[in-house]
Amino acid sequence: CSAPANKPVLTLFTKKPCPLCDEAKEVLEPYKRRFILQEVDITLPENSAWNEKYKYDIPVFHLNGKFLMKHRVDIQKFEDQLAKLELQNY
């Protein structure tokens, strides 16, 4: 089987501790072969702009740099967007 060379990047805006983020990662576990998870800690000084934007909303997810969802994982939306990106890569 040939995997697409460039997997979509799912960015998770998070901080420690974040029980909702942990929960979200568990929900995404079955899909983890289909994307690259990139975590951004919004409490770090270099991420202060994200902190301003998302401090009351984490977890926040961006897929390939575009806002996708926040607070909880919307599996249907995630699957739809992931499938669209996978189709573009073939």
Side-chain angles (χ1 to χ4, degrees), residues 54-85:
Y54 291 144
K55 62 183 161 198
Y56 303 117
D57 288 323
I58 60 167
V60 175
F61 294 92
H62 286 195
L63 191 58
N64 277 3
K66 292 197 188 100
F67 175 82
L68 181 65
M69 55 196 170
K70 65 183 180 183
H71 302 157
R72 300 206 168 278
V73 173
D74 179 338
I75 279 295
Q76 196 56 59
K77 187 175 191 181
F78 176 66
E79 277 188 8
D80 291 349
Q81 294 302 317
L82 197 56
K84 269 184 199 158
L85 289 170

Side-chain angles (χ1 to χ4, degrees), residues 37-69:
L37 181 65
Q38 185 180 45
E39 292 189 41
V40 174
D41 184 339
I42 65 169
T43 61
L44 296 175
E46 65 268 26
N47 296 328
S48 60
W50 293 117
N51 192 18
E52 280 302 303
K53 195 168 181 177
Y54 291 144
K55 62 183 161 198
Y56 303 117
D57 288 323
I58 60 167
V60 175
F61 294 92
H62 286 195
L63 191 58
N64 277 3
K66 292 197 188 100
F67 175 82
L68 181 65
M69 55 196 170

